[in-house]
Amino acid sequence: MDKIVIAAASMVGEEDVRMARLGTRFGRLDLASQLALVAVEALGVNFDLLPRELIGICLAARAGSLATDFDFWRGRDNAGGPSPTLFAYTLPSSAIGEIAIRHRLTGPNLCLTGEGSIIPEACDLLRRGEAQACLCVFYNVVTPAIAGLINSPAAALAGAILLRLGGNGVRELGENDRDIEKMCRVLCPKDLAS
Amino acid sequence: MSEVSKFSRPGVAIIGCGAITAVGRGVDALRAALKTNSSGLKPNARFDSPRFQSSIVGAVPPNDFPSGDPAFHLAVAALGEACDEARNVLSSIPAARIGLVLSTTKANIAALEQLAENEPCSDDARRHLQGYALAVDLAAGQGASGPVQCVSVACVSGLVALQQGAKLILRGDADAVLVVGVDHLSSFVVAGFTALKAIDPNGCRPFDRNRCGLSPGEAGAAIVLVRGDLAPSSAISMLGWGGSNDANHLTGPSRDGSGLALAIRRALNASGLQSPDIGYVNAHGTGTPYNDAMESMALRTVFGEKCPPVSAAKGMLGHTLGAAGVVETIVCILAMEGRFLPGTPRLIEPAEGTPAGLMRDPHVVDCLNVVLKLNTGFGGINGALILGHG
């Protein structure tokens, strides 16, 4: 059986979102979806060279959409009521839709919240033939408003890894590669505090 | 119909179900409602406000579970029933080989509402704002110490959670997986769908010519999956599944149904079946104009003029979001076990273009061997699951 290869990896933070030029619609997205989109963009993958219907997207949303949930609910008393646009982003998986739309990817999807690892799930999609490549994406958005609620430090970062069966890439996927955030930090060292 | 032997392969079987829904507590209440085509949608004083598009919702009867931490209590009720049914097999499996996969979109979002209003909120209720923490506590409550996952892929979460449970078993990470779907009615969600103008003021009418939106609902639902060789020979199995993305719009379905059709074809391929093998389709059927039209087109694309009987349960239960895929799969299981085709509660006059096989009322059948369950969700995500005997 072909080895699974890390074809590309990226790591981004809020500054990358501010610098991004991804069209007029980008500004309407919530921060989690913006980070995820920018992370995929930073992979530098030419999706024209891949079968779009066989590219899976596996998303890890550690704190889910809680930051956006908080913003949506805080706006419930606004004139005109809560924002319909923001409501669409109160699902942890919204970033999957944004990535799929931008790159026209029609493969299977998965989103795990909390501590679940998406790497074995992406490998499963590849080994079962459900996908020929899999975009693994994580985001972690914890605003100061929710940090206390979930006892977590504030954060705004995302990373992405493209996994493929065989071929060339950054390196082969190892047996201990389970934590996508850790993998992205190692493969793409970056000072996100700046 | 294909040879029965086609379905007889090692895989993943279903040995227990539990549900708490708008039609009552327990699978028996659900079965009774299915046989009489009853609807649990009713006006609810909690949502009788200009802030909400409608007060008609699918609420679990208030005395059926304790107040506070509603997601946890709904899930516990359903999970307890499913595990009781599966007890004989589960008791023979080491705790470390029993996993849990939770399907939810908003977990215990009630806690966010309480905290925003400075109302009392227990530490547990606050923790259960996060689906993964809820999943961990549910697993601990059943003594399951195997792998735990929390799946959240919009309204397809339930079907994907069942797939994840099956995958954990098939790749040897667990011998049994407790799959739980839960979402509770909240001002948060009803206000959100109101903002999108997606609620039918008169209660949802899936596939009806006058349909104009969904009805929010709540439910806890649970299914116990086990390795095929551990299950009784009569158990229903997961034969195959497929997923896809429309890559089209964040909140609206594709207009041509091609994404859902792709998911159905993937499920058929995975199960080694052909479209004529499907004996019944349980549709997503939200009652929104675009979803039901898209679903009709997808079914026509796959089945042509020979579409099998189709019905939808959301006129009975409301749209239960993260619980939908699990509770509606239980509807399919009850139909297969009871040899009947469920109807489509609240459907009056089928819309133009709906599948010829659309069932308004339930019907008894001689046998029902293979069924197809569909769900679609925000983000353009589609899911299809095929169940069969053997």
Side-chain angles (χ1 to χ4, degrees), chain A residues 5-122:
Chain A
V5 170
I6 299 172
S10 70
M11 184 87 181
V12 301
E14 271 189 292
E15 181 61 23
D16 300 286
V17 167
R18 278 191 285 273
M19 302 291 287
R21 299 289 176 267
L22 296 180
T24 52
R25 196 170 162 277
F26 183 71
R28 297 177 61 193
L29 276 51
D30 74 335
L31 179 58
S33 292
Q34 288 178 327
L35 283 162
L37 267 188
V38 172
V40 172
E41 212 68 20
L43 290 173
V45 173
N46 181 355
F47 288 102
D48 286 337
L49 302 177
L50 297 166
R52 286 184 156 87
E53 74 282 8
L54 288 173
I55 301 176
I57 305 172
C58 290
L59 180 68
R62 183 157 296 174
S65 56
L66 204 49
T68 305
D69 295 351
F70 187 89
D71 289 344
F72 170 77
W73 198 233
R74 192 170 49 186
R76 68 192 181 282
D77 294 324
N78 290 351
S83 161
T85 302
L86 208 50
F87 181 61
Y89 294 99
T90 61
L91 292 166
S93 56
S94 297
I96 289 176
E98 294 296 350
I99 294 166
I101 291 166
R102 180 166 179 81
H103 298 290
R104 290 174 283 129
L105 306 180
T106 56
N109 304 144
L110 172 68
C111 172
L112 297 181
T113 63
E115 294 172 25
S117 173
I118 56 168
I119 300 296
E121 307 309 328

Side-chain angles (χ1 to χ4, degrees), chain B residues 191-273:
Chain B
F193 282 122
T194 294
L196 289 172
K197 297 183 171 53
I199 297 177
D200 186 333
N202 298 309
C204 77
R205 294 161 283 180
F207 295 105
D208 194 277
R209 69 189 297 264
N210 292 315
R211 72 186 185 276
C212 60
L214 56 80
S215 288
E218 66 184 349
I223 290 176
V224 179
L225 303 178
V226 292
R227 229 175 56 208
D229 60 299
L230 298 174
S233 59
S234 58
I236 290 167
S237 296
M238 290 176 62
L239 300 183
W241 54 80
S244 69
N245 194 296
D246 292 338
N248 173 67
H249 193 279
L250 193 63
T251 56
S254 82
R255 296 297 169 93
D256 63 5
S258 57
L260 182 58
L262 181 60
I264 297 170
R265 286 188 169 126
R266 284 174 170 161
L268 286 167
N269 285 340
S271 58
L273 297 172

Side-chain angles (χ1 to χ4, degrees), chain A residues 133-153:
Chain A
C134 193
L135 270 174
C136 300
V137 183
F138 87 90
Y139 69 77
N140 192 20
V141 177
V142 180
T143 55
I146 67 159
L149 281 182
I150 59 173
N151 298 320
S152 174

Side-chain angles (χ1 to χ4, degrees), chain B residues 68 165 219 243 261 290 343 366 382:
Chain B
Y290 289 132
D366 291 336
N382 304 296

